[in-house]
Amino acid sequence: MEKHGEDLGAFYFLIMLLQTHGKKMLKRGDVQGLRRLAHDLHGLYVKYTQQ
């Protein structure tokens, strides 16, 4: 976070978590988990981009 600032650092951390959990779901063949993840990401996108 020191390098990129608090907001961008938090965003990078979130992306790292999503990548880790997404890879695990993909390896397990957990399609429902991936769909939930995509749904949650879409919800975050809508929340912070719609004004």
Side-chain angles (χ1 to χ4, degrees), residues 11-33:
F11 177 72
Y12 282 153
F13 181 72
L14 175 64
I15 295 299
M16 180 197 65
L17 288 175
L18 293 171
Q19 181 181 17
T20 300
H21 289 284
K23 281 183 182 179
K24 287 179 183 179
M25 288 179 206
L26 187 61
K27 284 183 181 179
R28 288 192 311 257
D30 185 2
V31 176
Q32 292 295 353

Side-chain angles (χ1 to χ4, degrees), residues 2-51:
E2 286 181 27
K3 182 177 179 183
H4 300 291
E6 188 172 329
D7 290 340
L8 191 54
F11 177 72
Y12 282 153
F13 181 72
L14 175 64
I15 295 299
M16 180 197 65
L17 288 175
L18 293 171
Q19 181 181 17
T20 300
H21 289 284
K23 281 183 182 179
K24 287 179 183 179
M25 288 179 206
L26 187 61
K27 284 183 181 179
R28 288 192 311 257
D30 185 2
V31 176
Q32 292 295 353
L34 289 169
R35 286 184 180 153
R36 284 191 307 272
L37 184 59
H39 182 266
D40 292 345
L41 284 173
H42 178 71
L44 285 171
Y45 173 78
V46 169
K47 180 179 178 179
Y48 290 104
T49 58
Q50 310 265 323
Q51 306 221 9

